Each structure stands twice: as structure tokens, then as C-alpha cells.
Amino acid sequence: MMSPAHRTRDIERQAGYLKPEHCAPPPPRTTAGTMWFIRDGCGIVCGIITWLLVFYAEFVVVFVVLMPVKNVPYSLFNGVLFNGLAFLALASHARAMCTDPGAVPKGNATKEFIESLQLKPGQVVYKCPKCCSIKPDRAHHCSVCKRCIKKMDHHCPWVNNCVGENNQKYFVLFTMYIALISLHALVMVALHFVFCFEEDWSKCSNFSPPATVILLILLCFEGLLFLIFTAVMFGTQVHSICSDETGIEQLKKEERRWAKKSKWMNMKVVFGHPFSVAWLNPFAKPDHGKADIYQYIV
């Protein structure tokens, strides 16, 4: 016996229920140079908090942990490494936040557009009743972005955007680099505590001993929290990419109607084809090349 959800989905698949006459003409397309940005108060606040926390970690690492150390090569190496990873983390965050995740054109379920598709008899199409768009396969509607997003995984308030087909690479890089700087900060703080216990506390920091301890403990708490959260999220995203099944598809247990590819090919679909150092570069747009994004079982 079919569930109500399945019955509703079957109704949406029938062309007679598209009702294109109920849709207003689609809004004019924005220019190619227009930046994608979601005006959501919660997401904007979360994004600002993310940057402030990274800047706080920068401050403590540079002025509390590294500058008082007399070993110049140690300070230079760790300073360059930490700041480089932090820069890549913030760059990945900005790219994930300001990249169109794969939004379907809003309001394109018009009579003219449906006729232009030249649908074959019995061919299935979906219409989103919320944004009045012809919904491609594997697209889902986001109530925050108010758009249907291709291969939508989830909406993340920390990047104030959906994680979808076009920005999943940047989101994965963001979680990876945040996890790395969190781990790096925890190691440096542990070594600094050892250094301070062996030396005079007044000589191991430019701040007073109580202020130094408070700053280091807060950084430990932040680093541990973000390390656990981003490491779990990174692993979840990599598993989702390798299995070629988004978070929403796993949650809804949707029927798999696309061809199964190898895990390595699925990684190339997200990060680019072929494998190169550009996979780790948040400024490099993925070049899919021979990696076909959509392969469906006929």
C-alpha cells in the first residue's frame, strides 16, 4: 500500500497537475556578475560569528602563543602554517556562502517554457508549487533560500547558504581547513602550556598570567568544539559524495534512479576532473571534464 507521500509525488508527476496558467512570468535574469547572497538574519549572524572566532584564534595564536617564544624558526613555521590554513578556511567559507549552489530559475513553469521542453508522451516532469519552477531530478526546495536547489544536501546557517551542486567543494574545503587549524591550535596551546610550566609565567606571555590562562582555555574550548564538529561534518560530506547520495536523499530514503559510479568518479564530479592540486584550492572552480554529473538509469 502506498504512503500519502508517495501518492502526492505521483500526482505531481502528472502533466495535468502542472497548471502553468497559475504561474506568473519568471523574473528577469540577473547579470552574470551579480553575487549570490542569502538575506537571512540567522545565517548572516552565524557567518559573522564564524569569522570572528577565526580572528580570535588568530589573535591568541600569534600574540599569546607564538610571539613570546624565543625559538624564531618554530614561531615562523607555525605562524605561516596557521595563518595560511586560516586564510584558506575563510576563503572557502566566502566561496561557499557567495556561490550559487545550483538554484533552479524561479517561476519558469510557464506554458511557453513547458512547450519549449518538447516533452515526449508519458515523460515525467516535476513542478515545485512553492517557487513555481520545473524541478530537475535530484532537486529539492529550500525554505530559507526560497529556491529549488540542484543536488541539495542541506542548508547550513554557518555559511548562510545551501550546500548543493555548485558549492559543495567549497563547503567540504571549509570544514577540512577549520578542522586542521583547530587541531593545529590545540597542539600549539598544549606545547605552550608545557613551556609556561617550565618557565616563569610572566615570561611566557605578553599578558598577565590570569589573562593568558583565560585566553588559552577559551581557545582550547573553541578548538576542541570546532574540531569535533567540522571533522564529523567533513567525514559525512565525503561519505555522501562517495556514495553519490545527498543528505536529503538519505533522510527521505528516495529511490535511486541514477547510474552508480565509482567513488573516485564521484569525487571528480564534485572537485573536478582530473585530480590535481586544484582540489584543495577554494579559488579554483571545478572542471568536471569527463565526469558526468547526471547519469540516469534508463
Side-chain angles (χ1 to χ4, degrees):
M1 185 175 180
M2 292 183 5
S3 65
H6 287 164
R7 285 199 294 268
T8 302
R9 199 161 179 80
D10 286 339
I11 289 174
E12 291 177 353
R13 292 170 65 170
Q14 297 178 25
Y17 287 86
L18 288 176
K19 298 181 180 178
E21 65 276 5
H22 292 174
C23 293
R29 287 181 175 271
T30 55
T31 58
T34 303
M35 183 180 68
W36 174 273
F37 187 78
I38 301 300
R39 294 175 179 84
D40 175 58
C42 176
I44 293 173
V45 170
C46 288
I48 294 174
I49 290 176
T50 301
W51 280 63
L52 290 178
L53 288 173
V54 173
F55 289 147
Y56 171 78
E58 289 263 6
F59 170 78
V60 177
V61 166
V62 173
F63 293 100
V64 180
V65 176
L66 295 179
M67 287 189 65
V69 178
K70 298 178 181 179
N71 190 336
V72 177
Y74 171 85
S75 297
L76 283 177
F77 173 78
N78 284 284
V80 171
L81 178 61
F82 185 85
N83 283 278
L85 291 175
F87 171 76
L88 291 172
L90 293 179
S92 301
H93 182 273
R95 291 282 281 168
M97 179 171 58
C98 299
T99 299
D100 181 349
V104 179
K106 196 171 184 179
N108 68 351
T110 60
K111 184 178 180 180
E112 292 76 12
F113 180 76
I114 295 174
E115 290 176 350
S116 68
L117 295 177
Q118 297 181 347
L119 301 175
K120 299 177 181 178
Q123 186 173 351
V124 174
V125 290
Y126 294 88
K127 172 200 166 186
C128 176
K130 297 178 181 178
C131 59
C132 214
S133 301
I134 298 298
K135 185 188 295 186
D137 285 313
R138 305 190 70 183
H140 294 85
H141 185 86
C142 174
S143 58
V144 179
C145 297
K146 295 179 173 58
R147 300 286 291 273
C148 284
I149 307 298
K150 299 175 184 176
K151 290 187 71 175
M152 175 182 169
D153 186 86
H154 70 286
H155 183 93
C156 178
W158 294 105
V159 297
N160 189 33
N161 202 0
C162 275
V163 178
E165 177 180 292
N166 295 340
N167 68 342
Q168 189 172 25
K169 169 193 173 180
Y170 311 126
F171 181 77
V172 173
L173 291 181
F174 166 66
T175 58
M176 182 184 74
Y177 287 128
I178 289 293
L180 289 176
I181 65 173
S182 298
L183 178 62
H184 190 199
L186 289 172
V187 171
M188 286 190 292
V189 169
L191 294 176
H192 195 68
F193 266 120
V194 173
F195 169 71
C196 289
F197 280 124
E198 293 178 350
E199 299 287 337
D200 186 0
W201 274 89
S202 60
K203 296 180 181 179
C204 73
S205 175
N206 296 327
F207 299 87
S208 65
T212 301
V213 172
I214 292 174
L215 290 171
L216 292 177
I217 290 177
L218 288 177
L219 180 59
C220 281
F221 178 75
E222 176 192 342
L224 186 61
L225 186 65
F226 271 78
L227 174 61
I228 295 173
F229 177 75
T230 54
V232 170
M233 183 59 70
F234 174 77
T236 302
Q237 286 293 301
V238 171
H239 175 267
S240 175
I241 293 171
C242 290
S243 62
D244 192 20
E245 194 174 20
T246 66
I248 290 183
E249 290 167 348
Q250 293 176 13
L251 184 64
K252 293 185 174 182
K253 298 180 179 179
E254 295 186 357
E255 179 186 357
R256 188 185 186 98
R257 295 181 294 106
W258 52 94
K260 188 175 182 179
K261 301 186 289 288
S262 67
K263 295 180 180 179
W264 186 241
M265 181 58 71
N266 289 330
M267 292 290 288
K268 290 180 180 179
V269 168
V270 174
F271 291 95
H273 182 90
F275 170 77
S276 69
V277 72
W279 280 26
L280 304 177
N281 183 3
F283 299 100
K285 185 177 180 181
D287 181 14
H288 299 298
K290 297 179 181 179
D292 189 3
I293 301 179
Y294 297 104
Q295 290 181 342
Y296 293 93
I297 301 174
V298 181

